[in-house]
Amino acid sequence: MIKLEDLSCGYGKKIILNHLDACFQENSINVIIGKNGCGKSTLLKTIAGLNKSYTGKIFVDGKNVENINKKQLAKIIAYMPQIRHIPSMSVEEFLMCARYPYIGMFNNPEKNDYIAVEEAMELVGIQDFRNRNLKRLSGGERQKVYFAFMLAWEANYLLLDEPTTFLDVEKQFEVLELIDILKNKGKTVVMVIHDICHGLKIADKIFCVNDGCINAFNNADELIESNLIQDIYNVKLHTVTVEGKKEYIIVK
Amino acid sequence: MSKAREKIVIVAIMIVVLIIAFCIGLSFGSTKIDIGELIDAIRTNQKGLVVYRVFLYVRLPRVLAAMFAGAALAVSGVIIQGVLHNPLAGPNIIGVNSGAGFGAICAMIIFPYKVGSVPVMAFLGALITSLLVYLIALKSKSGKVTIVLAGVAISSILSAGIDALKTVFPDVIIDSNSFMIGGFSGISIKSLFPAVYYIIFGLLLAMLMARNIDILGLGEEMAQTLGMNVKLNRFLLIICSSMLAGAAVSFCGLLGFVGLIVPHIVRKYTGNNHKLLIPCSALMGASFVIICDLISRVLFVPYEIPVGIVMSFIGGPFFIILLLKGVKYNQ
């Protein structure tokens, strides 16, 4: 469980999130939504340990992150930034980089590292392009590789910053399935997403960031009832039933 | 496992190429050394023989110098490009070379009778420059692009400094000209030390840190969340690469091109796996410089053209052809 207590953060001297309290339960999918620039990504970065300008406390598995050393934290929390450097290396070599917290600088990968990479490729279904260069993959293929990377990392908490951006609709749905795979593997996912409808579909809990505050909802109905979506985005959120399944649509 | 074999084959080929280049470099020149005659001379310990003297005092130091300079500059380029995620970066771009050049020319002016001061000052110049570039980048708190820009700015200041010194002290120009172009004529075993120690140390350090360069290549945020101390590693790597470049420049002059193109060419075959990229670049850089130096010696015998010129004439077109052909790793 990740617990935020009285957390205020921002970048530089500017504080954009004020006195937040939130809790991300074990083995659940937590979706963070909010306007551009509301501080969603900053929140994710702060939890990942990338942003040092914060006050308040962050607990991971009951321990204050300040008291967990960097190397240890790297084995617990994994983070996937929205904008990434794409290195020119084979998929397999790239996935081995996810084992860095375990291998370190001097040692060579061991059997369990190879197993972790192999399993990750299998789960995501990318064994076929293990030898292909990451740079030469399509956007959708590459996103799959990044999910395999998160799996090979073997961290319990996965922070994903907008994993569906820049993908076509089909690939977006594939990503949602991948996120489900992560959950089935027992991971706790905290993700920022722009597409509210996608987010609602897979979320166990929805966090809405607005005006420096955070509001948590247990399901879509609660969120709709709160009218918060209308306040924030000036749009209306509806549920409809399509082919017997609950879907969400947004109208102006 | 075929992948691992492929890597071994790549390294093996590069080693063979280097050995061949080394042998050819030793035997050809304005006088040809007959290997059999040489072995005879060494075996019977006839130190007076011409072939023996040419080998020991002219050819061997020269080929060794070319080898170490090539390896050092190539690896220096690999590191800088890796750390700054910038394919345009090279020891000459971020100002390391001009720093070394400035140091060397200062040495020529201040201590004109102490030949040994040149390498030391060149090395110091390189080190101070790269530290300065890094500190500027750190102070401005922005990323890799700033480092390159700061390097370019400092590089142009230092070049102006070099030109100013050349104008005020025209006597050193004769020496400094060959230094600016870069070359290995008149090199002796003695002048290679202690620079060679720095180079060996730098190459080993680069190999040790290879994985960290890979991780840095994933981007700063990724590297940091994977548990790496990004700032410390970047700092160490910059020191390592300036040590390599400074040491090489101290005895071979401003040979900038190797550090830019060799890593590029090698990367096309090995990708960004630095455990493979670093040794391969070292080997290829060494072979490339030995061969260029050989050509510079034999093309217009008995005259010699500075190796820097040959290098650009061969390396430039070759590089462009490679770019156009678009050889890609693991297509």
Side-chain angles (χ1 to χ4, degrees):
Chain A
M1 188 172 76
I2 295 178
K3 203 168 169 212
L4 314 179
E5 259 183 37
D6 196 28
L7 181 76
S8 300
C9 59
Y11 32 83
K13 283 197 174 134
K14 200 178 157 207
I15 289 172
I16 35 179
L17 297 172
N18 288 308
H19 307 290
L20 302 185
D21 288 295
C23 184
F24 307 111
Q25 294 291 348
E26 201 76 11
N27 195 12
S28 66
I29 298 174
N30 303 276
V31 169
I32 304 176
I33 56 174
K35 270 187 180 169
N36 283 335
C38 72
K40 303 177 300 251
S41 294
T42 308
L43 179 61
L44 225 49
K45 277 181 193 169
T46 310
I47 300 170
L50 292 170
N51 177 15
K52 293 287 171 215
S53 51
Y54 71 89
T55 58
K57 283 177 185 142
I58 303 168
F59 293 98
V60 178
D61 292 334
K63 266 189 258 173
N64 191 330
V65 284
E66 303 264 330
N67 302 327
I68 307 176
N69 79 42
K70 262 188 171 174
K71 295 221 161 83
Q72 204 53 42
L73 195 66
K75 293 179 188 171
I76 307 172
I77 294 184
Y79 168 70
M80 181 158 95
Q82 187 191 357
I83 297 161
R84 309 161 200 151
H85 285 281
I86 315 295
S88 163
M89 46 170 78
S90 77
V91 169
E92 211 170 5
E93 284 169 335
F94 173 67
L95 293 179
M96 198 47 88
C97 291
R99 303 297 299 167
Y100 184 78
Y102 309 91
I103 304 172
M105 178 169 152
F106 301 116
N107 301 323
N108 281 316
E110 282 172 19
K111 207 173 169 196
N112 60 326
D113 298 308
Y114 287 107
I115 291 172
V117 167
E118 205 59 40
E119 277 182 2
M121 284 197 284
E122 215 168 290
L123 264 169
V124 179
I126 52 165
Q127 302 102 307
D128 289 347
F129 37 92
R130 66 173 74 219
N131 286 331
R132 286 178 60 194
N133 190 318
L134 199 60
K135 278 213 167 184
R136 303 189 63 79
L137 298 178
S138 72
E141 291 169 328
R142 206 179 283 153
Q143 197 68 346
K144 278 190 175 175
V145 174
Y146 270 93
F147 272 91
F149 190 91
M150 299 307 274
L151 278 166
W153 198 324
E154 290 191 331
N156 230 341
Y157 299 97
L158 310 180
L159 314 176
L160 316 177
D161 200 347
E162 303 201 12
T164 56
T165 321
F166 309 127
L167 295 176
D168 65 43
V169 183
E170 185 193 0
K171 301 290 169 352
Q172 289 182 18
F173 278 104
E174 276 180 22
V175 164
L176 298 185
E177 278 165 27
L178 290 170
I179 293 169
D180 241 11
I181 292 178
L182 297 180
K183 190 190 167 189
N184 290 337
K185 285 293 281 180
K187 310 286 182 199
T188 304
V189 177
V190 182
M191 60 186 257
V192 166
I193 196 163
H194 263 303
D195 192 319
I196 299 170
C197 304
H198 280 335
L200 290 178
K201 248 197 212 152
I202 53 163
D204 291 312
K205 209 159 184 186
I206 303 140
F207 294 84
C208 203
V209 178
N210 187 31
D211 274 344
C213 301
I214 198 164
N215 290 294
F217 303 94
N218 287 316
N219 52 51
D221 295 333
E222 271 185 30
L223 178 66
I224 293 171
E225 218 167 279
S226 73
N227 259 344
L228 201 57
I229 294 292
Q230 192 159 10
D231 293 346
I232 298 176
Y233 299 102
N234 204 17
V235 295
K236 279 183 197 133
L237 181 63
H238 292 283
T239 34
V240 289
T241 308
V242 183
E243 294 171 4
K245 273 192 277 181
K246 209 172 185 185
E247 300 282 345
Y248 307 95
I249 56 164
I250 287 173
V251 289
K252 178 79 186 170
Chain B
M1 281 302 110
S2 70
K3 195 85 184 144
R5 194 174 298 155
E6 201 176 289
K7 287 175 189 167
I8 294 169
V9 170
I10 292 179
V11 176
I13 291 174
M14 298 240 175
I15 290 174
V16 171
V17 170
L18 176 60
I19 292 172
I20 293 172
F22 195 87
C23 292
I24 298 177
L26 280 180
S27 52
F28 290 94
S30 44
T31 50
K32 191 175 174 300
I33 292 184
D34 186 88
I35 303 263
E37 209 177 307
L38 174 68
I39 292 171
D40 263 0
I42 294 173
R43 212 182 43 210
T44 54
N45 204 14
Q46 286 172 284
K47 286 184 180 153
L49 273 184
V50 174
V51 59
Y52 186 81
R53 295 176 71 98
V54 169
F55 170 76
L56 197 64
Y57 298 111
V58 181
R59 227 35 87 59
L60 186 65
R62 196 156 176 168
V63 177
L64 280 177
M67 183 177 88
F68 279 109
L73 289 169
V75 172
S76 173
V78 168
I79 297 173
I80 291 174
Q81 288 169 10
V83 170
L84 307 182
H85 311 291
N86 196 323
L88 281 175
N92 44 340
I93 306 285
I94 75 158
V96 179
N97 276 8
S98 11
F102 188 76
I105 288 188
C106 284
M108 291 171 196
I109 293 165
I110 304 169
F111 316 104
Y113 302 110
K114 281 190 185 152
V115 186
S117 65
V118 177
V120 180
M121 291 284 277
F123 172 60
L124 283 178
L127 198 62
I128 291 169
T129 312
S130 46
L131 285 179
L132 199 63
V133 171
Y134 185 71
L135 284 177
I136 291 172
L138 212 63
K139 191 103 189 157
S140 69
K141 273 188 183 161
S142 27
K144 56 202 164 93
V145 183
T146 324
I147 302 186
V148 176
L149 290 176
V152 170
I154 289 188
S155 184
S156 75
I157 296 171
L158 286 168
S159 300
I162 292 174
D163 289 336
L165 286 177
K166 275 163 65 182
T167 318
V168 181
F169 300 93
D171 295 350
V172 297
I173 286 182
I174 303 162
D175 283 320
S176 65
N177 248 352
S178 64
F179 186 85
M180 299 299 287
I181 303 170
F184 299 99
S185 56
I187 214 149
S188 67
I189 284 280
K190 234 179 154 183
S191 64
L192 289 181
F193 293 92
V196 166
Y197 294 132
Y198 293 135
I199 290 176
I200 291 171
F201 179 73
L203 292 176
L204 289 176
L205 185 63
M207 269 313 283
L208 264 179
M209 297 191 71
R211 181 168 300 127
N212 281 11
I213 311 178
D214 287 355
I215 302 291
L216 268 179
L218 307 182
E220 195 171 330
E221 292 181 333
M222 270 292 203
Q224 219 165 314
T225 41
L226 280 166
M228 194 171 103
N229 187 336
V230 171
K231 278 192 180 137
L232 177 70
N233 274 283
R234 222 186 244 166
F235 181 68
L236 282 177
L237 284 166
I238 285 179
I239 295 220
C240 178
S241 85
S242 61
M243 185 163 66
L244 285 168
V249 166
S250 74
F251 61 79
C252 73
L254 302 183
L255 286 180
F257 208 41
V258 200
L260 181 67
I261 66 161
V262 168
H264 271 284
I265 294 169
V266 177
R267 197 177 279 120
K268 279 184 182 288
Y269 296 97
T270 67
N272 259 9
N273 178 353
H274 286 83
K275 273 241 159 89
L276 192 59
L277 179 58
I278 289 175
C280 286
S281 296
L283 290 167
M284 173 146 181
S287 313
F288 180 63
V289 177
I290 290 176
I291 291 167
C292 286
D293 181 53
L294 175 70
I295 293 170
S296 80
R297 278 184 282 146
V298 297
L299 203 55
F300 299 111
V301 172
Y303 301 104
E304 202 177 284
I305 43 175
V307 68
I309 295 174
V310 177
M311 199 170 282
S312 299
F313 271 131
I314 297 176
F318 182 56
F319 190 48
I320 291 170
I321 289 168
L322 262 178
L323 287 179
L324 291 176
K325 250 179 80 188
V327 185
K328 287 273 156 52
Y329 167 67
N330 283 335
Q331 210 145 14

